[in-house]
Amino acid sequence: MMEIYWGSPMTLESSTAGTQRKVTTIEEAQYCLQYAWPLSDTTRDSALEQVEAAMVCMVSVRDARAAFLSAARAAGFRARQDGDVQSL
């Protein structure tokens, strides 16, 4: 399987659990949404749809990444691109 360029790696920080998870590929984003997401809601479902659509070139990776970040915020994560000092 060929990996799709996801852009700069990002780190999700859980404010409640104090854990971090680095997401470097769109495949990792898909896995997080499917199996490691703390809640199941419409934002997560929409992000998963966008990520999977980007994996088959039906939407842009940029749109999928934005949906993933929106779902991360809704789930209570702080997300930052590696090297950035500000949260996204």
Side-chain angles (χ1 to χ4, degrees), residues 4-86:
I4 298 170
Y5 181 67
W6 173 246
S8 299
M10 68 178 74
T11 301
L12 300 178
E13 299 174 356
S14 172
S15 57
T16 56
T19 59
Q20 293 185 351
R21 177 179 210 116
K22 189 173 188 174
V23 179
T24 60
T25 66
I26 197 167
E27 291 81 8
E28 289 176 351
Q30 179 192 33
Y31 178 86
C32 287
L33 290 164
Q34 283 182 323
Y35 304 110
W37 215 246
L39 72 127
S40 183
D41 64 357
T42 57
T43 308
R44 176 233 171 235
D45 295 343
S46 176
L48 184 56
E49 287 176 14
Q50 290 291 306
V51 165
E52 290 177 344
M55 292 173 80
V56 293
C57 302
M58 297 301 291
V59 300
S60 73
V61 173
R62 182 181 201 167
D63 290 344
R65 187 178 173 101
F68 180 82
L69 288 171
S70 178
R73 286 188 203 103
F77 290 109
R78 285 186 341 128
R80 63 174 167 66
Q81 290 187 10
D82 287 5
D84 286 354
V85 292
Q86 296 179 353

